Amino acid sequence: MSVYKYAKVPEHGEKITIKVNDIGQVIPVVPNQPIIPFIRGDGIGDDIWKTSQPVFDAAVSKSYGDSKKIHWMKIYAGEEAKEVTGEYLPQETISAIKEFVVSIKGPLTTPVGGGFRSLNVTLRQVLDLYACIRPIEYYNGVASPVKNPEKVSCVIFRENTEDVYCGIEYKSGTNEANKVRDFLVNELGANIREKSGIGIKPISQFGSARLVEKSIAYAIENNYKSVTLVHKGNIMKFTEGGFRDWGYEVAKEKFADRIITEDEVWKHHDGKTPEGKILLKDRIADNMFQQLLIRPQEYDVLATMNLNGDYLSDMLAAQVGGLGIAPGANVGDGVALFEATHGTAPKYAGLDKVNPSSVILSGMMMFEYMGWSEAAKAIKNSLQKTIDNKTVTYDIFRDIEGGRELKCSEFGQELIKNM
Ligand code: NAP
């Protein structure tokens, strides 16, 4: 085990390890008493983590008695890390997330004037957490801007390392922008106006194929009916179109016996997907937006590049009641970091007020990833029951009739009571 200067490795508990499963995916091998590192988070992170950890422990103990237990390991990132270690993101935090395979985090402030764009983006890049996974599901009783939010049940796999996330941009008028423009205009015959800001959007075969592969493997393991590749390949043929083509290629190469394309279904099966097959389709991004508003029930797992996935995730989260209850995970091969999708909401920090559901549902995803499905179900059912009882935090309370507004910590206690 590595030596940690600031984090304290729990005395008891074991490391989660990894193995490759029968469909070629790296999956965790979880002991009964795993050590799980957590980053508390900045701003509202403290309130939320204090509320969430007891909920996770209760879900485990109510599901498995004494036979399973999590040993939490506090690791540092963000403002707390700066205070304790002098750095916003100490190397040992990155090492711990790698070494212990599964971790969970609260929101982190993006430090102004730091050497990087965002701690969250840095974590994803240095750990190669290439799939941002967002399940979007409706909990009855939460106010929604659409008529049938219960029809939404999707899981987005958004590519996390390429596209606009590469951050290759040159400010208009700088030497760099002029150089790039000169090269494109003079050497390659491109037509670019003077004083353009220039951004570069690389999409690779490697990056696209591994993301699509992960999304199909997830659909297989979780019995979803379809996977949809989202792209704007009609306009950007070699980036967005490349993503689509490499997606179909990897599906054929790795999962030929499990998937069937829409073309094949219409050609050979009268438009009906044969039993046991997963339908692989693709949609142009703008069409996808309206489809997900008018016919969300036709879509299950979505595989997207970075920017398209960013828009779609938040649009779907809005349909089911907002970011306060949307969970997420950033997953690579053999390392997974579960996280809230909202930020640090500094105006609410320390008020014991906000909704902890985003981190709690990220924990639910973490349990599913670990194969602890009973604990995951305990959380899901108790959240639904707590919302049914209209005992909710301010954000849900302000949009429903009747009910009782609870503090963040009280909401956590209510979840435990309702398990
Ligand atoms: P934000 O912290 O997500 O807050 C925006 C608004 O969302 C809040 O004012 C609140 O709305 C609502 N909200 C957020 N979390 C909530 C919760 N748990 N329960 C109920 N409502 C919640 O976004 P921001 O103000 O743009 O960003 C603040 C900081 O967070 C920035 O430093 C940003 O870089 C960082 N950030 C971090 C992450 C991450 O760590 N993954 C993600 C996004 C942003 P009302 O005002 O309507 O109550």
Side-chain angles (χ1 to χ4, degrees):
M1 209 174 284
S2 313
V3 175
Y4 293 91
K5 187 169 170 197
Y6 301 103
K8 202 164 162 270
V9 181
E11 264 177 48
H12 302 288
E14 288 173 68
K15 276 199 268 190
I16 293 176
T17 53
I18 51 174
K19 68 169 188 184
V20 176
N21 72 3
D22 54 359
I23 52 169
Q25 299 301 298
V26 181
I27 58 161
V29 179
V30 182
N32 282 335
Q33 305 221 1
I35 294 173
I36 298 190
F38 71 93
I39 294 168
R40 183 196 74 182
D42 298 328
I44 52 175
D46 188 30
D47 287 340
I48 289 182
W49 185 258
K50 274 196 277 203
T51 297
S52 305
Q53 189 184 317
V55 173
F56 300 144
D57 291 336
V60 172
S61 100
K62 292 197 182 202
S63 306
Y64 309 111
D66 291 337
S67 67
K68 290 188 197 288
K69 180 179 160 68
I70 292 174
H71 295 267
W72 297 104
M73 173 178 169
K74 179 169 179 150
I75 55 173
Y76 294 93
E79 283 157 6
E80 198 186 16
K82 180 80 178 150
E83 267 167 41
V84 175
T85 73
E87 289 174 90
Y88 283 106
L89 186 57
Q91 180 55 42
E92 70 163 45
T93 290
I94 294 166
S95 307
I97 295 171
K98 260 193 212 155
E99 179 167 9
F100 292 93
V101 180
V102 171
S103 311
I104 184 164
K105 70 176 271 293
L108 294 172
T109 308
T110 299
V112 179
F116 33 68
R117 287 184 304 161
S118 142
L119 294 175
N120 300 301
V121 174
T122 306
L123 276 169
R124 289 168 202 170
Q125 286 180 343
V126 296
L127 290 160
D128 198 22
L129 304 173
Y130 60 85
C132 174
I133 308 175
R134 297 259 186 104
I136 324 254
E137 214 173 318
Y138 181 63
Y139 285 83
N140 251 330
V142 177
S144 159
V146 297
K147 279 189 194 150
N148 296 111
E150 72 288 348
K151 288 187 177 169
V152 177
S153 178
C154 296
V155 184
I156 298 191
F157 277 68
R158 170 186 168 207
E159 209 290 325
N160 241 349
T161 63
E162 303 192 332
D163 196 357
V164 294
Y165 250 26
C166 278
I168 307 174
E169 272 205 306
Y170 302 106
K171 189 175 173 184
S172 155
T174 58
N175 268 343
E176 290 87 350
N178 291 340
K179 250 192 194 167
V180 176
R181 178 179 173 274
D182 286 350
F183 174 74
L184 292 171
V185 170
N186 299 331
E187 304 279 325
L188 299 180
N191 185 8
I192 301 174
R193 291 197 178 102
E194 275 184 25
K195 293 197 178 158
S196 293
I198 295 182
I200 293 180
K201 164 199 170 88
I203 305 284
S204 71
Q205 176 175 23
F206 173 78
S208 304
R210 68 176 178 171
L211 186 272
V212 173
E213 179 179 342
K214 214 180 207 30
S215 71
I216 296 175
Y218 179 89
I220 293 171
E221 281 154 13
N222 294 282
N223 297 317
Y224 281 99
K225 290 198 185 94
S226 69
V227 174
T228 306
L229 311 175
V230 184
H231 61 90
K232 190 78 184 159
N234 54 332
I235 304 295
M236 287 169 276
K237 299 185 183 351
F238 307 123
T239 49
E240 306 253 344
F243 176 82
R244 176 201 53 212
D245 295 346
W246 294 317
Y248 277 114
E249 269 171 34
V250 75
K252 214 166 151 193
E253 187 191 321
K254 301 246 162 131
F255 306 106
D257 55 333
R258 301 301 303 270
I259 57 117
I260 185 161
T261 63
E262 253 178 342
D263 278 355
E264 290 165 339
V265 164
W266 283 107
K267 231 187 216 164
H268 307 298
H269 302 277
D270 254 357
K272 286 212 175 71
T273 308
E275 195 67 28
K277 295 270 188 187
I278 293 171
L279 180 63
L280 182 62
K281 41 193 177 181
D282 74 280
R283 293 287 180 274
I284 290 177
D286 42 347
N287 178 29
M288 191 74 234
F289 260 74
Q290 58 111 7
Q291 292 278 319
L292 284 171
L293 275 161
I294 58 179
R295 282 203 290 277
Q297 69 276 16
E298 288 180 15
Y299 297 91
D300 301 302
V301 175
L302 309 172
T304 79
M305 280 157 286
N306 192 270
L307 187 59
N308 292 332
D310 202 7
Y311 298 148
L312 285 178
S313 305
D314 280 15
M315 184 272 277
L316 282 167
Q319 285 198 54
V320 299
L323 285 178
I325 63 164
N330 293 295
V331 181
D333 290 328
V335 52
L337 179 59
F338 294 80
E339 70 167 356
T341 52
H342 56 69
T344 57
K347 68 180 176 185
Y348 294 125
L351 301 184
D352 192 16
K353 183 177 173 77
V354 292
N355 190 344
S357 300
S358 181
V359 166
I360 290 173
L361 288 174
S362 303
M364 180 187 87
M365 281 179 82
M366 180 179 82
F367 286 143
E368 280 165 356
Y369 183 75
M370 290 162 60
W372 292 16
S373 52
E374 295 82 1
K377 263 187 215 122
I379 290 178
K380 187 173 181 171
N381 293 343
S382 99
L383 180 65
Q384 184 58 71
K385 193 165 167 196
T386 308
I387 296 172
D388 284 344
N389 293 343
K390 298 193 174 184
T391 43
V392 289
T393 44
Y394 85 96
D395 52 324
I396 298 184
F397 180 76
R398 70 186 166 190
D399 291 325
I400 59 172
E401 275 183 29
R404 190 156 57 92
E405 181 180 337
L406 300 183
K407 291 181 182 169
C408 178
S409 56
E410 292 170 336
F411 184 75
Q413 287 150 17
E414 205 62 21
L415 287 176
I416 295 173
K417 201 175 90 192
N418 289 333
M419 261 174 208

